[in-house]
Amino acid sequence: MQDDLIQKIREMHQYCTPEGIATALKIPLEAVYTVLEGKPLKIENRQVGEKPIILVKAAASSHPQKCIAIIRAKGGIGASTLAVHLANTISGKLNVLLIDLNPNGGDTKQYVLDKGLHLGQTGSLVAIRLTDNFYFHYPQPGEVKDSIKKAKENFDAIILDLPNAELKNLQEITQYCNTGIILLDTTLQGIEKLLSWHQMTALRSKFVVVNNGRQIETNEKILQELVQQFSDYDIEEGIYLPFSPELTDAFNRGDFVSRRSHYQEGVSSLVEAILPGLLNSKKSDTLFTKISRLFGGD
Ligand SMILES: Nc1ncnc2c1ncn2[C@@H]1O[C@H](COP(=O)(O)OP(=O)(O)OP(=O)(O)O)[C@@H](O)[C@H]1O
Ligand SMILES: [Mg+2]
């Protein structure tokens, strides 16, 4: 049924406008565009009284919506850098909103300044549009829950750059999220705090990221112990992000690191772990394989 319809729309497109196809087939125009753009279509069979009807809709995304909280126990360890690179990478395929919960919009602002960007209205949420699929939003204190709720109506993925805050606040905000990224630097400082938080939270899937932002010599043994520790805590995947000299410059310019950088490679592995199949790249490595392959950084 679905294949027949897709075939028919493609054939008709040789001699009909999309509007003409939608009228002739009595389907929404959006569904015609979806097929012509090669995106997935959702067909539902429903019964209205005696009459069976077929609903044709554009499937927004074949991935369940992700609301991702970046959680850390320490300041200055690369949370905002990870948040913007993660959002940028996912926005290649899905509609993404980055919410910065640090005071006054935090460091992610760097990525929207001087770009001549404008405010966009996405449903009832006002956000800054960086690209077609990538939006930023800075809620006022007290508006956070409302912003997340509105964001869920419009975005496939929502990424929260959380401040290095007290557990109580984290607990409250992560209630609205289904995915957690537990961010550590290579000293693993604050790990006890995160583990105790981890036991209390109801997040459905959790990932550990170790970022070598200060190029501190990484002790492989410590990282392996970390993986051991987390194996008791239902962590889906551990990803290592190497030091990237390119990043400081990129950060100051409000730019992203190049695709070839090992840092970006790590971010892509994380995306692949959170949203399997999204990037059509091979399955992500575990923390162990990342450590051995990426140990020296860029
Ligand atoms: N893997 C890395 N390699 C090199 N530099 C990095 C790396 N990760 C982060 N940095 C640099 O570290 C600095 C701090 O990063 P960032 O602002 O993202 O940290 P943060 O955790 O968000 O800080 P804050 O606690 O202030 O919110 C930035 O200059 C950034 O470019
Ligand atoms: Mg920050």
Side-chain angles (χ1 to χ4, degrees):
M1 160 73 197
Q2 181 146 344
D3 288 349
D4 289 352
L5 182 66
I6 291 172
Q7 175 83 17
K8 189 153 196 166
I9 292 172
R10 291 206 179 121
E11 277 171 21
M12 286 176 82
H13 190 229
Q14 292 167 24
Y15 50 85
C16 269
T17 60
E19 289 77 8
I21 302 172
T23 312
L25 298 178
K26 296 192 174 68
I27 58 173
L29 181 59
E30 193 195 351
V32 176
Y33 278 119
T34 302
V35 171
L36 298 179
E37 285 165 13
K39 291 183 190 156
L41 202 63
K42 199 165 138 197
I43 300 185
E44 280 173 33
N45 292 298
R46 291 236 190 113
Q47 191 84 23
V48 179
E50 299 271 290
K51 208 171 143 202
I53 58 160
I54 298 168
L55 282 179
V56 182
K57 291 187 199 164
S61 150
S62 47
H63 290 278
Q65 186 180 53
K66 297 283 174 193
C67 187
I68 305 166
I70 299 179
I71 297 141
R72 48 11 195 296
K74 217 177 142 188
I77 60 164
S80 300
T81 307
L82 176 60
V84 293
H85 283 84
L86 192 62
N88 185 45
T89 309
I90 295 176
S91 73
K93 301 280 180 178
L94 300 174
N95 207 6
V96 181
L97 178 71
L98 173 58
I99 302 184
D100 195 324
L101 297 179
N102 293 277
N104 301 318
D107 298 325
T108 52
K109 249 196 192 145
Q110 187 77 28
Y111 285 82
V112 291
L113 293 176
D114 302 329
K115 285 196 165 64
L117 301 158
H118 47 86
L119 287 178
Q121 182 86 24
T122 57
S124 51
L125 192 81
V126 176
I128 297 168
R129 204 181 89 201
L130 185 54
T131 66
D132 277 352
N133 269 352
F134 186 174
Y135 287 76
F136 278 105
H137 176 69
Y138 309 115
Q140 296 303 314
E143 280 180 8
V144 177
K145 279 184 231 162
D146 196 45
S147 289
I148 299 175
K149 220 171 96 201
K150 286 178 182 165
K152 285 187 176 176
E153 291 163 14
N154 295 290
F155 292 91
D156 302 317
I158 300 150
I159 296 168
L160 301 180
D161 181 5
L162 294 170
N164 178 23
E166 285 307 306
L167 277 174
K168 193 167 75 52
N169 299 337
L170 275 183
Q171 197 76 24
E172 216 188 319
I173 290 165
T174 51
Q175 278 177 45
Y176 304 97
C177 302
N178 53 19
T179 308
I181 294 176
I182 297 165
L183 181 65
L184 295 158
D185 66 6
T186 47
T187 65
L188 308 186
Q189 236 178 311
I191 186 167
E192 290 80 15
K193 195 165 150 186
L194 288 168
L195 281 174
S196 69
W197 163 81
H198 180 78
Q199 279 174 305
M200 293 188 282
T201 177
L203 284 171
R204 233 176 299 145
S205 54
K206 295 135 196 160
F207 301 84
V208 171
V209 171
V210 178
N211 180 35
N212 193 0
R214 298 230 173 99
Q215 203 176 19
I216 294 171
E217 193 158 324
T218 315
N219 184 334
E220 200 165 351
K221 199 157 162 274
I222 294 183
L223 291 177
Q224 291 187 355
E225 273 169 29
L226 164 84
V227 177
Q228 196 70 38
Q229 254 179 306
F230 273 111
S231 62
D232 298 337
Y233 288 92
D234 190 26
I235 296 291
E236 294 202 19
E237 193 75 79
I239 304 288
Y240 174 70
L241 296 176
F243 178 80
S244 169
E246 239 192 275
L247 255 175
T248 316
D249 251 14
F251 189 87
N252 291 336
R253 285 196 316 268
D255 246 334
F256 304 104
V257 285
S258 68
R259 279 167 174 228
R260 281 169 296 116
S261 123
H262 282 155
Y263 182 84
Q264 180 56 47
E265 203 181 308
V267 173
S268 298
S269 298
L270 179 62
V271 171
E272 192 57 33
I274 297 174
L275 289 152
L278 185 76
L279 304 178
N280 298 323
S281 54
K282 57 180 175 21
K283 197 184 169 319
S284 17
D285 295 323
T286 64
L287 187 58
F288 290 115
T289 48
K290 281 240 153 283
I291 292 166
S292 50
R293 206 151 57 79
L294 299 175
F295 204 63
D298 280 351

